[in-house]
Amino acid sequence: DCVQTCTATDGKVYDQPVNKLKERIDAFYLMTDFGLDRVPFTERELPFGLELDGNVGVRYVRSRVNGTGTMTFTSYSKTALYDAEDPNNSAGYVQSSIVQNTSVDASTTDVLPSLNLATWLRPDELVLRYSVAKTIARPPVQQLLPASTCVYDERAADLDSDGTQRCNGVIGNPALKPRKNVNQNLSLEWYPNRDTMFSLAYFNQKGKVAQFITEGVSG
């Protein structure tokens, strides 16, 4: 009877501690292919008789996360019998703990354009390719979910502890933004025959929103 909810000693019904998170991602994209042998809106051919092929597209992504994390709060309060010379004496402090579920609800929306181009410098043998795209990478669940134990300890100074408040583990941030990059790729590919390929490529990745960082907070 106490798996999901339970009646406490005060007669009230409470949710049992639980960690759960649901992530929903809705996405769609539009893309079109094209081929050019002339300069657009003119009658002039491309230089050196080149032909340009490619595609351009855009992807729309909406991500939403919601769920529940369990936070434990523990306090160590001094009593009248507290002795600074013996801070761990059980008569000198009272330990209290409370476990509480916390809600998680956040959403992000991203528009991701992309472009791919290719031109054959020598038909069916030598091709120059270029691509550019905006990309995202969602943070992992453990970086989103607030689930940890936090402690308030009045004995901190006598225990040589760093501050009266501290937390263990990682307290996630449900509003954490995804990592965002603009990726570019340039390659020259040579196909001397049907069984052989040589390629020279250059790749550049520029971060717009950097990787998540776990940051410690004290005091």
Side-chain angles (χ1 to χ4, degrees):
D1 295 334
C2 284
V3 174
Q4 294 183 335
T5 60
C6 203
T7 302
T9 54
D10 60 4
K12 297 180 181 180
V13 177
Y14 295 91
D15 290 333
Q16 287 288 73
V18 63
N19 290 331
K20 62 181 180 180
L21 186 122
K22 179 174 69 176
E23 183 175 43
R24 172 171 175 159
I25 299 176
D26 299 310
F28 71 87
Y29 71 91
L30 297 173
M31 186 184 73
T32 183
D33 298 319
F34 60 85
L36 301 174
D37 57 4
R38 296 177 183 275
V39 179
F41 310 112
T42 74
E43 293 300 319
R44 292 181 297 166
E45 293 186 352
L46 293 176
F48 310 108
L50 298 177
E51 295 182 2
L52 186 66
D53 296 318
N55 61 65
V56 61
V58 62
R59 179 176 175 88
Y60 171 87
V61 181
R62 183 176 184 271
S63 303
R64 181 169 181 173
V65 294
N66 60 73
T68 303
T70 300
M71 291 294 298
T72 301
F73 300 93
T74 299
S75 68
Y76 295 88
S77 303
K78 296 177 182 178
T79 68
L81 299 178
Y82 180 76
D83 182 2
E85 300 296 327
D86 188 14
N88 287 315
N89 190 317
S90 59
Y93 66 89
V94 175
Q95 177 183 348
S96 303
S97 294
I98 181 173
V99 180
Q100 182 171 315
N101 290 335
T102 59
S103 62
V104 176
D105 194 359
S107 63
T108 59
T109 300
D110 297 282
V111 178
L112 310 174
S114 65
L115 173 68
N116 294 283
L117 300 173
T119 182
W120 289 91
L121 305 177
R122 189 176 298 171
D124 297 329
E125 187 175 343
L126 186 64
V127 61
L128 180 66
R129 301 185 192 275
Y130 171 76
S131 65
V132 57
K134 184 178 179 181
T135 64
I136 62 171
R138 296 287 303 159
V141 169
Q142 63 266 30
Q143 300 296 332
L144 301 175
L145 199 64
S148 185
T149 298
C150 290
V151 176
Y152 173 81
D153 195 341
E154 282 189 330
R155 308 168 301 159
D158 300 321
L159 294 170
D160 295 325
S161 179
D162 184 16
T164 57
Q165 301 178 63
R166 65 183 186 273
C167 293
N168 303 321
V170 176
I171 301 177
N173 175 11
L176 194 64
K177 293 181 179 180
R179 179 174 180 168
K180 299 181 181 181
N181 295 322
V182 174
N183 298 339
Q184 297 184 76
N185 191 75
L186 180 67
S187 64
L188 182 64
E189 303 168 12
W190 178 37
Y191 302 86
N193 55 60
R194 63 185 299 171
D195 300 317
T196 308
M197 181 190 80
F198 297 95
S199 66
L200 181 65
Y202 171 78
F203 177 76
N204 177 266
Q205 183 179 75
K206 184 176 182 180
K208 296 297 185 179
V209 176
Q211 180 70 298
F212 60 84
I213 297 174
T214 302
E215 183 173 348
V217 178
S218 61

